[in-house]
């Protein structure tokens, strides 16, 4: 079993890549959970959906916002067609609540994105502030607002992550995923992130392998950033995840009791208890 890349493989990121917050930033949205990753393909959207579902199963009122307009696919993974999406809300400057779509099978609501749109990536500062205000408004209605951010480290992605009360960085044991996760954490700290930053290791061959992956990332952060991110969960690799995605059905409905589903349920209980 591979021990994964060593901490020295994670290079310090040049400070010139860090951007500044938009002027007049809004207050921290304490019950918002931003799910991010420096790299695509680590299961971030699947985790966002499953975590939202698990929180709803705990009796929490939850809304899941698809913050990845370029490659939005929450509605696709759930097999639903929303009447209004986030792209329309941003273009028409409507209240964010107008884009809420109920997902009764999971007991939660969603705000769908629009695949192929570059609205979020190129959003002017005032629109970005308005979006953050809209999310803050949702936070007064829901117990949790889960935000599935786009992969990468674009300015709007970093901004929404730092405005959220908690940020979850999703990674795997791939060297590129670890390097990009480290870069994301570094940029958030450079921008003075107030949110609690935690790591979820996804698609781990075992819990032990996942812990080794986390230690690789944590040691790099300790060496270069003098900070150690919290390990929130290790999610085991599970073939039932791909099956549920193909079926456009949440894992906790299609395969209740699966290994990956149980791991996410443990994560949900941890987050719910921390916010109580």
């Amino acid at each position: 079993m591979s021990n994964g890349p060593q901490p020295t493989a994670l290079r310090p990121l040049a400070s010139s890549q860090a951007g500044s917050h938009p002027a007049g930033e809004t207050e921290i949205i304490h019950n918002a959970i931003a799910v991010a990753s420096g790299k695509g393909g680590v299961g971030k959207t699947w985790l966002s959906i499953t975590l939202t579902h698990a929180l709803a199963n705990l009796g929490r009122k939850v809304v899941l916002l698809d913050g990845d307009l370029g490659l939005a696919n929450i509605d696709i993974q759930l097999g639903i067609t929303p009447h209004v999406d986030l792209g329309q809300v941003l273009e028409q400057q409507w209240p964010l609540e107008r884009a809420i779509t109920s997902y009764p099978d999971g007991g939660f609501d969603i705000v769908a994105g629009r695949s192929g749109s570059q609205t979020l990536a190129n959003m002017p500062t005032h629109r970005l502030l308005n979006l953050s205000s809209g999310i803050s408004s949702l936070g007064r209605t829901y117990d949790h607002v889960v935000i599935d951010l786009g992969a990468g480290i674009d300015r709007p992605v970093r901004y929404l992550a730092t405005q959220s009360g908690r940020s979850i960085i999703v990674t795997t044991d791939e060297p590129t995923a670890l390097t990009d996760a480290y870069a994301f954490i570094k940029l958030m700290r450079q921008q003075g992130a107030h949110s609690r930053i935690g790591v979820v290791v996804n698609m781990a061959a075992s819990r032990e392998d996942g812990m080794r992956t986390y230690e690789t990332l944590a040691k790099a952060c300790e060496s270069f950033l003098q900070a150690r991110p919290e390990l929130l969960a290790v999610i085991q690799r599970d073939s039932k995840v791909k099956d549920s995605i193909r079926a456009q059905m949440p894992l906790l409905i299609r395969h209740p009791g699966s290994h990956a589903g149980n791991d996410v349920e443990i994560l949900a209980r941890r987050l719910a208890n921390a916010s109580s």
Side-chain angles (χ1 to χ4, degrees), residues 5-11 220 224:
Q6 299 303 307
T8 53
L10 302 184
R11 304 180 303 276
F224 300 128

Side-chain angles (χ1 to χ4, degrees), residues 49-66:
I49 292 172
T50 311
L51 174 60
T52 300
H53 192 185
L55 286 168
N57 285 347
L58 293 174
R60 299 302 181 101
K61 185 178 181 182
V62 195
V63 60
L64 171 60
L65 186 145
D66 195 336

Side-chain angles (χ1 to χ4, degrees), residues 152-211:
I153 53 177
D154 289 339
R155 182 183 69 105
V157 171
R158 300 196 312 270
Y159 176 68
L160 291 177
T162 56
Q163 291 301 108
S164 299
R166 182 182 288 276
S167 294
I168 297 175
I169 313 301
V170 186
T171 190
T172 67
D173 64 356
E174 293 183 8
T176 52
L178 281 167
T179 301
D180 290 349
Y182 164 78
F184 197 100
I185 293 171
K186 180 178 177 71
L187 286 173
M188 287 186 66
R189 288 182 57 81
Q190 287 180 337
Q191 293 187 183
H194 300 287
S195 60
R196 291 168 290 176
I197 302 173
V199 173
V200 168
V201 178
N202 194 25
M203 296 185 279
S206 66
R207 295 190 188 282
E208 293 74 16
D209 193 68
M211 286 297 301

Side-chain angles (χ1 to χ4, degrees), residues 4 18 48 58 98 104 109 127 130 149 155 170 185 198 210 234-235 274:
S48 298
L58 293 174
R98 187 163 178 176
D109 295 335
R127 292 268 182 97
N130 287 342
L149 296 175
R155 182 183 69 105
V170 186
I185 293 171
V234 171
I235 311 297

Side-chain angles (χ1 to χ4, degrees), residues 27-264:
E27 63 182 16
I28 301 300
I29 309 165
H30 293 287
N31 60 342
I33 303 170
V35 184
S37 67
K39 179 182 181 296
V42 298
K44 174 181 56 59
T45 296
W46 167 82
L47 177 63
S48 298
I49 292 172
T50 311
L51 174 60
T52 300
H53 192 185
L55 286 168
N57 285 347
L58 293 174
R60 299 302 181 101
K61 185 178 181 182
V62 195
V63 60
L64 171 60
L65 186 145
D66 195 336
D68 186 357
L69 286 181
L71 296 171
N73 59 10
I74 283 176
D75 54 329
I76 296 172
Q77 286 201 27
L78 292 176
I80 61 177
T81 304
H83 295 293
V84 178
D85 59 43
L86 182 57
Q88 291 170 284
V89 165
L90 296 174
E91 290 170 0
Q92 302 297 326
Q93 300 185 50
W94 291 335
L96 192 54
E97 287 82 358
R98 187 163 178 176
I100 291 175
T101 299
S102 177
Y103 184 65
D105 289 347
F108 58 89
D109 295 335
I110 72 165
V111 175
R114 183 193 299 172
S115 185
S117 171
Q118 296 185 5
T119 305
L120 186 57
N122 301 316
M123 188 182 299
T125 295
H126 72 278
R127 292 268 182 97
L128 186 56
L129 291 171
N130 287 342
L131 174 58
S132 182
S133 295
I135 297 173
S136 181
S137 177
L138 289 182
R140 291 189 286 271
T141 304
Y142 292 87
D143 296 318
H144 303 281
V145 179
V146 180
I147 309 171
D148 177 31
L149 296 175
I153 53 177
D154 289 339
R155 182 183 69 105
V157 171
R158 300 196 312 270
Y159 176 68
L160 291 177
T162 56
Q163 291 301 108
S164 299
R166 182 182 288 276
S167 294
I168 297 175
I169 313 301
V170 186
T171 190
T172 67
D173 64 356
E174 293 183 8
T176 52
L178 281 167
T179 301
D180 290 349
Y182 164 78
F184 197 100
I185 293 171
K186 180 178 177 71
L187 286 173
M188 287 186 66
R189 288 182 57 81
Q190 287 180 337
Q191 293 187 183
H194 300 287
S195 60
R196 291 168 290 176
I197 302 173
V199 173
V200 168
V201 178
N202 194 25
M203 296 185 279
S206 66
R207 295 190 188 282
E208 293 74 16
D209 193 68
M211 286 297 301
R212 284 192 289 270
T213 298
Y214 163 71
E215 285 297 332
T216 298
L217 177 59
K219 288 177 181 177
C221 291
E222 286 179 327
S223 297
F224 300 128
L225 307 178
Q226 291 72 55
R228 184 181 180 91
E230 177 186 11
L231 176 64
L232 293 175
V234 171
I235 311 297
Q236 299 173 83
R237 187 181 299 276
D238 191 333
S239 62
K240 293 181 175 61
V241 171
K242 286 187 177 181
D243 176 74
S244 67
I245 292 174
R246 291 193 192 100
Q248 296 180 288
M249 186 180 298
L251 178 68
L252 299 181
I253 292 177
R254 187 164 177 85
H255 296 292
S258 62
H259 292 306
N262 289 340
D263 291 337
V264 177

